[in-house]
Amino acid sequence: MKRLLSSLCIPIALALLCVPVQAEDYEHWSDAAYEFHNVRRIYIDELETPPDAISSTMKARRLKEYFFEQAKELDDWTVVMPTLPPPVPPSPLAAPPEPAELPKQTEASSAELHHVSSSDPAAGLPDSPPAAVSETEPTPPAPAPIAAEPAEPPQAPTDAIPLEAADSDLYVKATVTTYYVGTGLIPAHMEWESYMIRDVAYDRRGRPHWFSRRISYPVYVPNTYVPLATVGVQFIVYDVKTGKAVSMSEDNRTRGSSQDLYGVYKRIIDRFYKNLKKDLKE
């Protein structure tokens, strides 16, 4: 029995150690008082891809196309989406502008400076006395400084709903916040490796009984740097009539792979439409 338990625990421990590097941060909120079941028409706007999150126009268009393509999951509702414009090719590299030529400054020599100062007709003369102040006409007081008007406090930006969504019930806005491949460190640690051996046991009559058993041993793994694919997308769903947000979610994921960046993004989009469909049916 003990041998059976050890043979079961070892594979489980190995499976836990072999889990790839991954992290997930997901937040979702929906207005419990909003009547999602009354929604019939949804306007899904173009996915926003800020340059600080993704600089490639071709990659950004690929993400936008998949975001619109997966809207087919909302097959029980009327979905309206704008037409994606053709990708804009990058402008050719222009030659850097030449620096503006500074105006030439002429500096007088020490002899010239001495000549100028010594030839000044007013040099060496006492200062002229102050002008007399007229007693009949008093000097008007200096005008008081005009107080500057207090600056208006900065207003928080508001999300405007486009006119194209005026006939819809909901307006969906999504923004890519993170999209890159970085590097992560797996600290040094011990891992267990194993191999199978065939062994034999003899009974009382000397007859052999062959069986297989696994031999496990620890292996030291030094510090290892691995590529990490990190993707983050923010979703906001507005009620068109009131302009208030009725649903929000933020999905940030990291996977230990440099080849799965687009795959991580696709799974984020799939989750969003799955949860939105669930809200609409409640």
Side-chain angles (χ1 to χ4, degrees), residues 3 197-203 206-213:
R3 180 177 297 177
I197 64 171
R198 188 169 176 79
D199 207 343
V200 61
Y202 296 91
D203 58 14
R207 292 178 299 185
H209 296 274
W210 293 92
F211 62 93
S212 297
R213 62 190 179 97

Side-chain angles (χ1 to χ4, degrees), residues 30-108:
S30 293
D31 188 353
Y34 187 75
E35 298 178 348
F36 284 95
H37 58 274
N38 291 332
V39 173
R40 295 294 178 266
R41 186 182 178 94
I42 305 172
Y43 186 91
I44 300 178
D45 207 347
E46 180 180 340
L47 177 73
E48 292 189 3
T49 54
D52 57 344
I54 176 170
S55 57
S56 172
T57 56
M58 297 301 296
K59 290 181 179 179
R61 182 176 179 85
R62 186 185 184 192
L63 303 186
K64 295 177 181 180
E65 289 176 348
Y66 187 81
F67 180 61
F68 279 166
E69 178 185 348
Q70 293 308 110
K72 62 185 179 182
E73 294 292 332
L74 307 175
D75 48 3
D76 294 336
W77 297 267
T78 302
V79 178
V80 182
M81 296 173 289
T83 303
L84 286 178
V88 179
S91 58
L93 296 177
E98 297 182 358
E101 185 177 358
L102 297 176
K104 296 182 179 179
Q105 298 181 356
T106 58
E107 296 184 357

Side-chain angles (χ1 to χ4, degrees), residues 30-42 77 169-170 237-242 244-247 276 278-282:
S30 293
D31 188 353
Y34 187 75
E35 298 178 348
F36 284 95
H37 58 274
N38 291 332
V39 173
R40 295 294 178 266
R41 186 182 178 94
I42 305 172
W77 297 267
D169 301 313
L170 292 181
V237 180
Y238 296 91
D239 177 76
V240 175
K241 293 182 179 179
T242 62
K244 296 181 179 180
V246 295
S247 177
L276 179 59
K278 180 181 179 181
D279 288 339
L280 292 172
K281 288 185 176 181
E282 290 182 353

Side-chain angles (χ1 to χ4, degrees), residues 66-275:
Y66 187 81
F67 180 61
F68 279 166
E69 178 185 348
Q70 293 308 110
K72 62 185 179 182
E73 294 292 332
L74 307 175
D75 48 3
D76 294 336
W77 297 267
T78 302
V79 178
V80 182
M81 296 173 289
T83 303
L84 286 178
V88 179
S91 58
L93 296 177
E98 297 182 358
E101 185 177 358
L102 297 176
K104 296 182 179 179
Q105 298 181 356
T106 58
E107 296 184 357
S109 63
S110 59
E112 292 174 337
L113 291 175
H114 177 73
H115 174 72
V116 171
S117 60
S118 62
S119 61
D120 186 0
L125 295 179
D127 296 337
S128 56
V133 180
S134 174
E135 298 180 358
T136 57
E137 295 182 3
T139 304
I146 301 175
E149 296 181 359
E152 296 182 359
Q155 301 293 330
T158 56
D159 297 293
I161 297 177
L163 295 177
E164 293 80 5
D167 296 336
S168 302
D169 301 313
L170 292 181
Y171 169 66
V172 177
K173 178 181 178 181
T175 305
V176 176
T177 57
T178 309
Y179 194 84
Y180 72 96
V181 175
T183 304
L185 170 65
I186 300 179
H189 59 283
M190 300 295 294
E191 291 186 358
W192 287 89
E193 294 187 3
S194 63
Y195 60 92
M196 298 294 295
I197 64 171
R198 188 169 176 79
D199 207 343
V200 61
Y202 296 91
D203 58 14
R204 295 178 180 178
R205 298 181 181 181
R207 292 178 299 185
H209 296 274
W210 293 92
F211 62 93
S212 297
R213 62 190 179 97
R214 185 181 298 274
I215 301 297
S216 300
Y217 57 95
V219 176
Y220 173 77
V221 179
N223 289 338
T224 307
Y225 290 91
V226 297
L228 297 178
T230 303
V231 182
V233 187
Q234 180 189 68
F235 305 92
I236 306 179
V237 180
Y238 296 91
D239 177 76
V240 175
K241 293 182 179 179
T242 62
K244 296 181 179 180
V246 295
S247 177
M248 291 186 295
S249 61
E250 291 184 0
D251 203 336
N252 299 277
R253 305 189 185 193
T254 299
R255 294 293 182 271
S257 171
S258 61
Q259 307 297 327
D260 199 28
L261 190 63
Y262 183 58
V264 174
Y265 166 78
K266 291 169 63 176
R267 290 190 285 275
I268 290 178
I269 300 301
D270 295 344
R271 171 190 268 182
F272 165 72
Y273 281 113
K274 179 180 179 181
N275 290 343

Side-chain angles (χ1 to χ4, degrees), residues 16-39:
L16 293 175
L17 290 172
C18 296
V19 175
V21 178
Q22 58 182 358
E24 183 172 336
D25 181 13
Y26 179 71
E27 297 291 340
H28 175 75
W29 169 84
S30 293
D31 188 353
Y34 187 75
E35 298 178 348
F36 284 95
H37 58 274
N38 291 332
V39 173

